[in-house]
Amino acid sequence: MFIPVTMELLGGFWESIKVFVLTLVFSIPLGLVVCFGSMSKWQPFRRLSDTRLHALSKWMPLRLVTRTFVWIIRGTPLMLQLIIIFYGPGLMFDLPSMGRFTATIVAFAINYACYFSEIYRGGIESIPQGQYEAGQVLGMTKSQIFFKVVLLQVFKRILAPMSNEIITLVKDTSLARIIGIYEIIWAGEQFIKKGLIWPLFYTGAFYLIFSGALTILFGKLEKKLSYFRG
Amino acid sequence: MSVLEVNNLRKGFGDTEVLKGISFSLEKGQVLAIIGSSGGGKSTLLRCLNFLESPDEGEIWVDGKQLLSDSEEEVRQNRLHFGLVFQNFNLFPQYSVLENITLAPTLLKRSSPEEIRKRAMGLLEQVGLTQKADAYPYQLSGGQQQRVAIARALALNPQILCFDEPTSALDPELTGEVLRVIRGLKNGGNTMIVVTHEMEFARSVADRVIFMADGVIEEMGTPEQVFDDPQSEKTRVFLRGAQEKF
Ligand SMILES: Nc1ncnc2c1ncn2[C@@H]1O[C@H](COP(=O)(O)OP(=O)(O)OP(=O)(O)O)[C@@H](O)[C@H]1O
Ligand SMILES: [Mg+2]
């Protein structure tokens, strides 16, 4: 039985890995966009500051919209978001289905982008103002300050929370079964009908090996960046 | 002719006026010490000179050129007339000592990489840290970090080098090495503005002294005039207080 079970589970795990990798590919850059939105200081009514409508002048719509969106996504279950993204467009707007797999990636990418954006924001805001000022005084441009001074420091600071989140993602991929993605746990469950429980434990081994490998990888990265402090 | 002339500089934050019309000038090669009690606006003045704050009003002339501008790019160019050494160093932690010094000149394409490196090593020698070229900031004492910060500022050849309480974040036994470096720079002919609480140092190194209180220049003159024969009551009270502390 071992070989056929292994083959079946490998098939399911391949789906899980696809969800994992594609989610990261989209959510890591998308998170940066969300992060910039939630830090935006854009004040379209700034000019009103000396008028009776001065309360409006401090209004930062982009920041407000982004932070509300992040709050909603982080405050509701990913499973609910999966279901809504898969069934919602068809039921609400009569749109053709985007397919199970696409819906999964869309839901995961948005969800994880929101989590990542908050990690990025925490990292960026934790860099002391003095670093920016030192760069400015030395005649650097804004982008030089971001890329040459701030970025690596942020990267170092967010590495630990990012690795936590990414390891959570490994396990979250199993949620995709709710809209019919045949991932590894579903594959393992097939064998219950045949009276076998061990394939389920076996799926656990896949997760353990994969998250173990990620832990080692992040540990290596952390070590690489340990040459400086700050 | 003066290398620096500041005319009627004003700066407020919200409703509080922090600089209420500051005017002074500085000759090439001179050292100006700015003293004054906490909250008097000394840091704000230095930050205006380095364009970290934009003044509400006034003029800053260097070598006969007015520097205040609304264009971000012009500001970036103009601020290079000045250098600024911060109270808490603000070295870049991910770069070695040498890289901290060469980063800005390299980005500004001041000269060839070898030239920049050679000059940086020369500056490290000047501040007595040749041995530490490859160390990282966290491996240095506060006094050493501040000396690197001075070398980093010098690497861009500013016409006027500003210091905002360069020894205030240091343990007492480390202030001497930093003050010695600043003294050495004066002997090398650098024009400098030093905000400091070290009265003895101000007296001995400065050509001119300004006492600031509540956003105005309360007293200005040679060290002898300001320290030995202050005209304003506020200055007298401040100096008496400063003496009692030591
Ligand atoms: N960004 C800011 N926003 C609001 N108020 C500010 C800001 N920066 C400075 N101030 C205020 O301006 C006043 C002058 O501050 P400044 O730092 O220039 O004083 P200082 O003379 O350098 O004092 P210290 O000796 O304590 O360094 C203080 O009352 C301070 O609270
Ligand atoms: Mg100050």
Side-chain angles (χ1 to χ4, degrees):
Chain A
M1 251 344 249
F2 186 72
I3 303 274
V5 168
T6 305
M7 295 316 287
E8 193 65 24
L9 294 192
L10 272 176
F13 197 53
W14 176 235
E15 288 298 303
S16 306
I17 297 281
K18 274 192 330 205
V19 174
F20 174 81
V21 170
L22 287 172
T23 299
L24 285 186
V25 165
F26 291 112
S27 62
I28 286 176
L30 186 60
L32 203 57
V33 176
V34 176
C35 170
F36 288 145
S38 70
M39 289 174 55
S40 152
K41 293 204 174 73
W42 183 52
Q43 296 173 328
F45 301 115
R46 194 188 201 128
R47 301 240 180 86
L48 299 179
S49 63
D50 295 328
T51 70
R52 255 184 301 158
L53 291 169
H54 61 89
L56 260 184
S57 70
K58 293 232 158 36
W59 192 53
M60 296 188 268
L62 193 54
R63 172 184 294 210
L64 185 75
V65 168
T66 317
R67 290 198 184 181
T68 308
F69 182 73
V70 170
W71 171 62
I72 292 171
I73 297 294
R74 295 206 313 162
T76 58
L78 173 54
M79 188 184 287
L80 177 65
Q81 294 160 20
L82 273 165
I83 296 170
I84 289 178
I85 286 175
F86 181 52
Y87 295 106
L91 291 176
M92 291 189 291
F93 311 109
D94 253 345
L95 292 172
S97 162
M98 62 177 106
R100 296 171 196 289
F101 191 74
T102 312
T104 303
I105 300 304
V106 171
F108 270 79
I110 292 175
N111 184 277
Y112 272 82
C114 287
Y115 278 96
F116 291 161
S117 78
E118 287 294 284
I119 295 178
Y120 298 162
R121 183 158 73 88
I124 291 174
E125 286 177 349
S126 73
I127 303 298
Q129 193 58 29
Q131 291 290 305
Y132 294 90
E133 292 183 347
Q136 279 175 287
V137 168
L138 292 167
M140 296 185 199
T141 63
K142 274 188 177 159
S143 76
Q144 285 171 342
I145 293 172
F146 184 76
F147 287 108
K148 299 286 182 180
V149 175
V150 177
L151 190 60
L152 192 63
Q153 296 182 54
V154 172
F155 189 79
K156 181 175 165 113
R157 286 177 188 215
I158 67 174
L159 201 55
M162 283 297 280
S163 86
N164 271 333
E165 213 53 64
I166 287 170
I167 284 169
T168 303
L169 171 61
V170 176
K171 296 165 288 174
D172 270 0
T173 54
S174 60
L175 290 172
R177 64 178 298 179
I178 199 71
I179 55 170
I181 299 294
Y182 188 72
E183 46 69 57
I184 183 168
I185 295 184
W186 192 352
E189 235 182 295
Q190 297 303 309
F191 296 97
I192 291 187
K193 290 180 225 136
K194 298 174 187 162
L196 295 178
I197 185 67
W198 63 265
L200 275 176
F201 286 100
Y202 192 11
T203 64
F206 279 82
Y207 283 108
L208 282 175
I209 289 169
F210 193 60
S211 54
L214 285 175
T215 307
I216 291 171
L217 183 76
F218 279 110
K220 285 218 162 111
L221 265 176
E222 212 161 299
K223 201 153 177 209
K224 256 216 155 107
L225 290 176
S226 66
Y227 74 90
F228 73 92
R229 294 201 192 137
Chain B
M1 201 184 67
S2 321
V3 60
L4 170 67
E5 202 164 314
V6 175
N7 280 333
N8 192 32
L9 208 63
R10 286 175 183 277
K11 174 70 184 172
F13 297 104
D15 290 336
T16 48
E17 254 206 307
V18 173
L19 298 180
K20 303 172 185 164
I22 301 288
S23 306
F24 66 91
S25 63
L26 192 62
E27 304 294 319
K28 196 167 160 45
Q30 279 196 333
V31 176
L32 167 69
I34 302 180
I35 59 173
S37 45
S38 193
K42 307 180 296 294
S43 296
T44 308
L45 174 59
L46 286 195
R47 291 170 61 83
C48 284
L49 293 179
N50 284 274
F51 304 94
L52 291 175
E53 309 283 358
S54 47
D56 302 331
E57 230 182 89
E59 295 169 341
I60 298 172
W61 296 79
V62 171
D63 277 344
K65 185 168 166 258
Q66 212 288 119
L67 296 188
L68 289 178
S69 158
D70 286 333
S71 133
E72 196 174 311
E73 185 53 30
E74 265 178 42
V75 164
R76 198 171 68 77
Q77 294 297 330
N78 288 346
R79 64 161 37 116
L80 291 173
H81 293 284
F82 293 90
L84 178 61
V85 173
F86 299 86
Q87 183 174 338
N88 42 7
F89 335 131
N90 292 335
L91 294 180
F92 304 132
Q94 73 268 44
Y95 291 116
S96 70
V97 164
L98 189 64
E99 289 165 339
N100 261 278
I101 301 172
T102 56
L103 179 64
T106 307
L107 291 174
L108 289 168
K109 304 201 175 63
R110 277 288 173 89
S111 42
S112 70
E114 304 85 70
E115 288 287 318
I116 292 173
R117 203 192 121 87
K118 238 171 55 202
R119 170 148 167 72
M121 287 308 291
L123 288 167
L124 275 179
E125 198 177 329
Q126 203 176 334
V127 300
L129 287 173
T130 320
Q131 306 294 321
K132 298 288 186 186
D134 295 322
Y136 284 86
Y138 81 93
Q139 297 166 319
L140 305 180
S141 73
Q144 291 171 331
Q145 289 190 50
Q146 191 60 300
R147 287 187 279 153
V148 175
I150 293 172
R152 181 176 71 172
L154 286 169
L156 292 177
N157 286 318
Q159 274 149 296
I160 301 152
L161 186 53
C162 306
F163 298 81
D164 192 359
E165 301 192 27
T167 58
S168 289
L170 301 178
D171 292 335
E173 72 269 21
L174 298 179
T175 60
E177 60 189 66
V178 172
L179 297 181
R180 259 196 305 284
V181 166
I182 300 175
R183 207 182 291 276
L185 292 178
K186 176 200 164 81
N187 297 335
N190 290 276
T191 314
M192 297 188 284
I193 302 177
V194 187
V195 170
T196 183
H197 288 300
E198 306 271 347
M199 295 303 149
E200 276 315 306
F201 177 70
R203 178 196 279 272
S204 64
V205 83
D207 301 292
R208 315 263 302 153
V209 176
I210 284 178
F211 171 68
M212 268 181 85
D214 302 324
V216 297
I217 294 182
E218 190 69 28
E219 186 121 12
M220 171 158 53
T222 63
E224 292 75 28
Q225 286 167 341
V226 174
F227 286 110
D228 299 334
D229 187 20
Q231 301 301 306
S232 127
E233 182 56 30
K234 275 190 186 167
T235 317
R236 278 195 287 268
V237 170
F238 173 77
L239 288 175
R240 219 174 298 136
Q243 235 163 27
E244 275 162 19
K245 252 186 267 167
F246 301 106

